[in-house]
Amino acid sequence: MSDQYEYLPHRLLHRRVRDIASGVEGELMAVVNENVASAGMERWVELAYIRAASGREFTTSVTNVEPAC
């Protein structure tokens, strides 16, 4: 089995962004290609980790990330 995750470069890394799915804004902390396998089947997804104003980080699909105005 391969690694559980891999960090990816992103043009908005460490900038203020908005999650279009929830409307929440924060700083893009990391983009990770993560294996969310279950029952032995590999499934890789690109997740964006965003730190909101509260200090808590949440994940969303990297396709949901846009620059905050």
Side-chain angles (χ1 to χ4, degrees):
M1 180 177 245
S2 48
D3 293 328
Q4 292 295 329
Y5 60 90
E6 173 188 8
Y7 287 95
L8 302 173
H10 195 278
R11 66 183 179 85
L12 297 174
L13 198 59
H14 302 295
R15 295 184 183 236
R16 189 153 182 83
V17 296
R18 176 182 301 111
D19 170 25
I20 59 174
S22 67
V24 177
E25 293 185 5
E27 181 181 349
L28 181 61
M29 302 306 293
V31 175
V32 177
N33 190 25
E34 193 166 325
N35 184 359
V36 293
S38 64
M41 299 279 291
E42 284 193 8
R43 181 169 170 244
W44 292 86
V45 295
E46 290 185 4
L47 294 175
Y49 284 77
I50 299 172
R51 182 174 294 158
S54 67
R56 296 192 120 187
E57 289 186 14
F58 65 95
T59 60
T60 190
S61 171
V62 75
T63 59
N64 287 342
V65 175
E66 67 179 14
C69 296

